[in-house]
Amino acid sequence: MSDRTTVRPIEILLIEDSPSDADLAREALGHGKILNNLHFVEDGVEAMKFLRRKEPYLRVPRPDLILLDLNLPKKSGVEVLTEIKTDQSLKLIPVVILSTSAAQEDIIKSYSLHANCYITKPVDFVQFTKVIRLIEEFWLAVVQLPVN
């Protein structure tokens, strides 16, 4: 387990076009053991505004972890991942792909763009909640995240 000497909550950005999936993630993380703040945006354009702290996100914290769906409106998850991993100020933020796609081309493309992890999103409520809790357990309790 990582040694967190600060009481600061972990900042998580969920980029997900499904409000119901976002609600499930919020609920699962809210019942977890790690103090966190979950921020949610519904499309790729808003995600990049959030990450670059453009209106209306001028005062948002920099995420410690990004959960990214690939199938997004306005700007795809692949485009968002590309922008994150080619931006010097963002590229160290770990990005977990959380997508319904299990297609090998999506998995290969994501890893080639330096995604830190690829998880196929379960459609079952119980399994989805379990996956979110496993993400929390691993990425927030075990992994040493870079300091903002």
Side-chain angles (χ1 to χ4, degrees), residues 68-112:
L68 174 63
D69 187 10
L70 291 183
N71 302 312
L72 297 172
K74 299 185 183 177
K75 184 178 285 201
S76 75
V78 169
E79 292 172 300
V80 171
L81 180 61
T82 300
E83 285 190 46
I84 291 169
K85 293 303 183 178
T86 57
D87 185 316
Q88 290 298 318
S89 66
L90 302 174
K91 71 180 186 177
L92 293 182
I93 303 171
V95 178
V96 173
I97 303 298
L98 189 57
S99 178
T100 55
S101 173
Q104 276 300 299
E105 57 266 19
D106 288 338
I107 295 168
I108 291 167
K109 180 72 171 175
S110 296
Y111 281 119
S112 72

Side-chain angles (χ1 to χ4, degrees), residues 12-51:
I12 303 168
L13 175 59
L14 174 62
I15 308 167
E16 168 63 64
D17 65 330
S18 167
S20 61
D21 284 355
D23 287 343
L24 290 176
R26 183 175 284 114
E27 185 175 325
L29 288 166
H31 288 51
K33 298 172 185 160
I34 307 297
L35 184 60
N36 68 79
N37 291 324
L38 181 66
H39 307 273
F40 164 63
V41 294
E42 293 185 25
D43 65 64
V45 170
E46 290 300 306
M48 294 315 301
K49 284 182 187 177
F50 185 101
L51 289 166

Side-chain angles (χ1 to χ4, degrees), residues 104-131:
Q104 276 300 299
E105 57 266 19
D106 288 338
I107 295 168
I108 291 167
K109 180 72 171 175
S110 296
Y111 281 119
S112 72
L113 293 170
H114 306 286
N116 298 87
C117 181
Y118 192 104
I119 299 171
T120 302
K121 187 187 325 178
V123 292
D124 171 77
F125 166 77
V126 173
Q127 287 302 102
F128 182 80
T129 302
K130 183 178 179 181
V131 163

